[in-house]
Amino acid sequence: MFAKLVAVSLLTLASGQLLAAECKVTVDSTDQMSFDKKAIEIDKSCKTFTVELTHSGSLPKNVMGHNWVLSKTADMQPIATDGLAAGIDKNYLKEGDTRIIAHTKIIGAGETDSVTFDVSKLAAGESYGFFCSFPGHISMMKGTVTLK
């Protein structure tokens, strides 16, 4: 009887945790110029959402640095192009660029950074994406962000 009660309690606890929205994701970046995620879904019930960026490679940030930038899909390439002149110290992002919804700093091997943003900045039905703004990386390091 006790074992049955414990099993039911554990199942209840587990199902309760499954119902709660996950308002955080970890995205790993590598020396092969890649993110381990191609798509991120954000539950509408999340008030804020956190992205933790990790770098599992071995190269320093000035050689193979990565960041995570969120914007409308249509703004991704223009943001990356405009950010080239900003340089690594400004994370290859133009200062004050209002098209950027959220971003991490540029990180290198073994480093992590995270960003938390207000989900209300995202509109249902709009197309969003994420990318790395390090020069040339957007061609391979990008994905979609969907509000569900």
Side-chain angles (χ1 to χ4, degrees):
M1 179 67 181
F2 179 72
K4 201 178 226 180
L5 184 61
V6 169
V8 169
S9 296
L10 288 174
L11 278 174
T12 304
L13 182 65
S15 64
Q17 288 174 333
L18 289 176
L19 295 177
E22 185 65 42
C23 299
K24 178 183 177 187
V25 68
T26 298
V27 177
D28 185 51
S29 57
T30 70
D31 288 344
Q32 286 72 45
M33 239 169 66
S34 67
F35 286 132
D36 69 342
K37 307 259 184 313
K38 294 289 179 203
I40 295 172
E41 289 188 344
I42 300 175
D43 194 289
K44 287 178 187 160
S45 69
C46 294
K47 298 280 184 242
T48 61
F49 193 83
T50 300
V51 174
E52 180 183 37
L53 179 65
T54 60
H55 193 312
S56 63
S58 59
L59 296 171
K61 72 179 182 181
N62 63 325
V63 177
M64 189 55 70
H66 302 305
N67 63 353
W68 185 92
V69 183
L70 171 64
S71 71
K72 290 181 179 176
T73 303
D75 293 334
M76 290 167 53
Q77 188 61 61
I79 290 169
T81 301
D82 291 349
L84 291 175
I88 196 166
D89 291 340
K90 292 196 164 90
N91 301 299
Y92 294 107
L93 294 170
K94 186 174 87 178
E95 216 164 333
D97 192 331
T98 57
R99 299 169 297 181
I100 299 168
I101 297 167
H103 71 89
T104 66
K105 67 181 183 186
I106 297 266
I107 61 170
E111 296 179 322
T112 64
D113 191 33
S114 65
V115 62
T116 299
F117 58 92
D118 188 342
V119 175
S120 70
K121 290 181 177 181
L122 306 180
E126 182 65 65
S127 178
Y128 296 98
F130 64 90
F131 64 98
C132 173
S133 67
F134 194 95
H137 289 195
I138 191 172
S139 64
M140 293 174 61
M141 298 185 75
K142 59 187 171 186
T144 61
V145 174
T146 309
L147 194 59
K148 63 172 184 133

